[in-house]
Amino acid sequence: MKNALDCAALDAALDRVHRAGMPGLFAEVRDGDRLWRGAAGVADATTGRPVSADMRHRVGSITKTFTTAAVLRQAENGRIGLDTPIGTYLPKLVPGERGDAITVRMLINHTSGLAEYLPYAYPSLKGMPVVAETGPESLDEHRFTRFDPVDLIGMGVSAPAFGTPGGTPGLYSNTNYLLLAQLLEVVSGTTAELCITRDVIEHAGLQDTGFPAGPHMDGPHSNLYEAWFGMIEPPRDYSVFDMSYAGPSASLTSTVADLNRFFGMLLAGEIVSPSSLAQMRRTVPVVSQEGKLMDYGLGLYPMEGSGQSTFWGHGGTVWGGGALAMTRADGRRQMAVAVNMQRWNRLDSDGHPQPHPIDEALAALYGVAMSG
């Protein structure tokens, strides 16, 4: 029988991403009881320190799946109603008619109509989503800024609404998940980070996953190089960064092994109930941060793999880093990939991001990782 896990092909695909211009990346692919881990490139472009597959990494919006799981576990215990208006729980944060119209479910699947707060917290990003009208200056200005989540939520709630509550397409907005974090605090009597740690991270037995206490990452990790569409040359290391700008929306640190373990257990119904999992996989159209239309469920989205098999998971980016974790619907095939540079695409004369060899090489890696 052919080995469904082609380690040589995975090694080669990983190396091609590095040779295409990615400083370093690492990954884990699982197929049943078979396991492959690989790494290519450097964790430090100055010293040449290599990356390794066991490194911890900022996984960005993959955090949203963890936050969703914590909310659903509270819902299963009767403390949260998914179709209850958020104004019932947080009347001061989402007051008036909007608080009565936006439900918890709408926050989770990004159909609340609430705007993204980042362009208001980071002045040089005010031109988003038109990247040619943005700049990276705010990243340096706010490297050590300790944001108050209530202030960030206020920016998103007071900004012009994207649409009406429950309308589609929705808008992918971190404002939604900072509100969910506040909701977890109200119903659990503790911080959202502790609630997620107790009910999800520890429940799943994850040893190398957690929320940062400050701007530094614990344990072995890579530098994170931000290029900001060619406006930072050479790309700058932002691995030391206060993640309060994202909180339980995108601040989690994990490893590729922990991510595969988490999504494997989640898709097996071992984190939330099978009925909650079924709701997570009901999607609606949502406009991504890149301005593209995507299908989004409750903290999960689908991705087509080899042979049109459906994989479920989440991706995420932070300043300088990114990750993608996907598990096939039957739970057997899994991949988790981490990269240490972001926004490598330069802009053309019209201000649009140009294709880059890294894009094609990453797509090829995902194809090999999800096949079998």
Side-chain angles (χ1 to χ4, degrees):
M1 179 181 291
K2 180 182 177 182
N3 184 352
L5 200 59
D6 191 334
C7 296
L10 286 164
D11 287 335
L14 199 73
D15 186 61
R16 280 194 292 271
V17 180
H18 170 54
R19 287 189 283 107
M22 180 62 63
L25 72 159
F26 44 100
E28 180 187 88
V29 177
R30 298 182 183 186
D31 190 280
D33 58 356
R34 299 180 185 273
L35 173 68
W36 168 88
R37 288 180 187 152
V42 297
D44 188 320
T46 301
T47 67
R49 175 172 59 93
V51 288
S52 61
D54 60 350
M55 283 183 162
R56 297 186 182 184
H57 198 70
R58 296 199 194 277
V59 299
S61 283
I62 293 176
T63 310
K64 290 180 172 65
T65 312
F66 287 76
T67 300
T68 297
V71 171
L72 291 175
R73 285 174 65 87
Q74 293 291 331
E76 290 167 7
N77 291 329
R79 299 189 185 98
I80 291 175
L82 294 185
D83 296 307
T84 300
I86 191 60
T88 302
Y89 304 103
L90 303 171
K92 293 182 179 179
L93 295 183
V94 192
E97 293 182 2
R98 275 212 289 186
D100 294 335
I102 296 172
T103 66
V104 174
R105 188 187 303 273
M106 293 174 195
L107 296 175
I108 303 175
N109 68 11
H110 296 293
T111 59
S112 70
L114 293 173
E116 171 62 60
Y117 62 78
L118 273 176
Y120 302 92
Y122 285 74
S124 68
L125 306 187
K126 62 184 178 182
M128 289 175 63
V130 183
V131 295
E133 297 178 5
T134 68
E137 296 81 12
S138 293
L139 277 61
D140 289 310
E141 294 166 3
H142 290 303
R143 185 188 285 265
F144 297 105
T145 299
R146 194 68 184 168
F147 285 103
D148 183 331
V150 173
D151 290 342
L152 296 175
I153 290 168
M155 295 174 192
V157 171
S158 62
F162 174 80
T164 58
T168 56
L171 175 71
Y172 189 97
S173 170
N174 287 295
T175 306
N176 294 317
Y177 276 74
L178 289 194
L179 280 164
L180 291 171
Q182 294 295 309
L183 172 61
L184 285 174
E185 292 192 8
V186 168
V187 301
S188 70
T190 186
T191 67
E193 289 86 351
L194 286 175
C195 179
I196 296 165
T197 299
R198 178 194 65 205
D199 292 350
V200 180
I201 296 171
E202 292 179 354
H203 176 79
L206 307 183
Q207 300 298 310
D208 296 303
T209 300
F211 291 96
H216 297 270
M217 278 190 282
D218 294 329
H221 60 273
S222 173
N223 290 353
L224 301 177
Y225 294 101
E226 180 59 55
W228 200 263
F229 307 101
M231 299 180 204
I232 304 177
E233 183 62 47
R236 191 172 303 137
D237 174 25
Y238 285 118
S239 56
V240 177
F241 209 98
D242 193 300
M243 294 301 295
S244 60
Y245 79 89
S249 172
S251 65
L252 205 64
T253 301
S254 190
T255 62
V256 289
D258 268 9
L259 290 178
N260 275 338
R261 177 177 174 84
F262 167 69
F263 280 101
M265 293 180 68
L266 180 69
L267 271 292
E270 297 174 12
I271 305 293
V272 300
S273 70
S275 62
S276 292
L277 179 61
Q279 293 188 71
M280 293 183 79
R281 296 199 286 195
R282 294 175 191 159
T283 65
V284 293
V286 168
V287 178
S288 73
Q289 289 182 316
E290 293 77 30
K292 299 178 181 178
L293 207 59
M294 64 185 296
D295 294 323
Y296 198 91
L298 300 186
L300 280 180
Y301 60 79
M303 184 173 174
E304 293 300 324
S306 175
Q308 301 304 303
S309 298
T310 301
F311 283 67
W312 291 89
H314 214 291
T317 65
V318 297
W319 312 133
L324 177 67
M326 285 284 161
T327 293
R328 199 166 63 195
D330 64 8
R332 180 174 178 85
R333 187 82 174 195
Q334 295 187 272
M335 75 162 185
V337 180
V339 299
N340 68 359
M341 185 172 69
Q342 279 300 303
R343 285 158 283 271
W344 50 78
N345 305 84
R346 292 179 177 270
L347 304 181
D348 62 21
S349 58
D350 295 323
H352 301 301
Q354 295 178 296
H356 191 286
I358 290 175
D359 302 320
E360 184 177 351
L362 271 176
L365 170 62
Y366 299 154
V368 175
M370 295 164 74
S371 67

